[in-house]
Amino acid sequence: MNQSDSIYESLKNKDFHIIIQARMTSTRLPKKVMLPLCGRPVLQVMIERLSPFKDKIIVATTNDGSQTPITELCKSLGVRFVEGDTHDVLSRYYLAAELVNAKPDTVLVRCTSDCPLIDAYETAKVVSHFFNIRNNFDYVCAGPHCGFPNDMTPRYLHSQR
């Protein structure tokens, strides 16, 4: 078993979920999550890069009628999703937490859908570290001086504290 397989296995039964916020109505680049990247939609590339955690992924999208390509992609990939208010991303996270029956100590991992370079192994290392320190912190993120490009690593928080 190599190092990445070992860390993925150690997280298998941990209570955490990855919520990917995705919408088609970006003002700067509409429909960017469905734009092609190496022949696949950006959101699909991101989900594939997080494949060791596929059963822990929930896509939180909108319910304004524009989300159909996102929900159809999720269905085709076998990824859970929730649909909620376009202008209230926090409520979409809440819906995702409800979907998985998140408890007060459930760890929620926040990812934005326009970050297809996210790295599963780095994500696993930070999730594992967060489980070791979570009694002291409610929120952890890599920040601008972590050595990785912006949003290559996600943010971690408890569902409730």
Side-chain angles (χ1 to χ4, degrees):
M1 181 179 289
N2 65 35
Q3 193 174 11
S4 60
D5 289 340
S6 175
I7 197 165
Y8 299 148
E9 188 63 30
S10 74
L11 292 172
K12 190 174 184 176
N13 295 317
K14 297 282 188 180
D15 187 16
F16 78 97
H17 299 278
I18 298 172
I19 302 172
I20 302 173
Q21 63 190 59
R23 64 188 176 112
M24 297 291 285
T25 55
S26 169
T27 54
R28 289 178 291 176
L29 183 57
K31 303 176 184 174
K32 65 183 171 185
V33 302
M34 296 305 290
L35 290 176
L37 179 64
C38 300
R40 297 181 317 278
V42 168
L43 178 57
Q44 181 175 343
V45 171
M46 185 172 181
I47 291 168
E48 288 170 355
R49 289 183 59 84
L50 291 170
S51 63
F53 310 114
K54 183 178 176 186
D55 62 330
K56 296 193 176 275
I57 295 173
I58 306 107
V59 173
T61 191
T62 60
N63 62 1
D64 61 7
S66 69
Q67 76 279 5
T68 302
I70 294 171
T71 59
E72 291 301 316
L73 177 67
C74 289
K75 289 175 189 175
S76 73
L77 298 175
V79 172
R80 294 174 293 179
F81 64 91
V82 295
E83 299 168 273
D85 190 311
T86 302
H87 304 289
D88 188 355
V89 70
L90 183 59
S91 72
R92 296 196 310 263
Y93 274 85
Y94 182 78
L95 291 171
E98 279 189 326
L99 178 70
V100 296
N101 298 313
K103 297 169 187 58
D105 61 346
T106 299
V107 173
L108 301 177
V109 180
R110 175 190 174 264
C111 295
T112 56
S113 59
D114 57 354
C115 300
L117 299 181
I118 193 161
D119 186 81
Y121 180 64
E122 293 301 323
T123 299
K125 288 190 334 188
V126 179
V127 169
S128 182
H129 180 65
F130 187 67
F131 273 105
N132 292 329
I133 64 167
R134 71 184 184 162
N135 290 333
N136 300 316
F137 298 96
D138 293 328
Y139 177 86
V140 174
C141 74
H145 305 292
C146 69
F148 291 102
N150 190 28
D151 286 328
M152 190 171 169
T153 59
R155 284 121 175 108
Y156 308 86
L157 59 150
H158 288 281
S159 64
Q160 178 184 350
R161 194 65 141 146

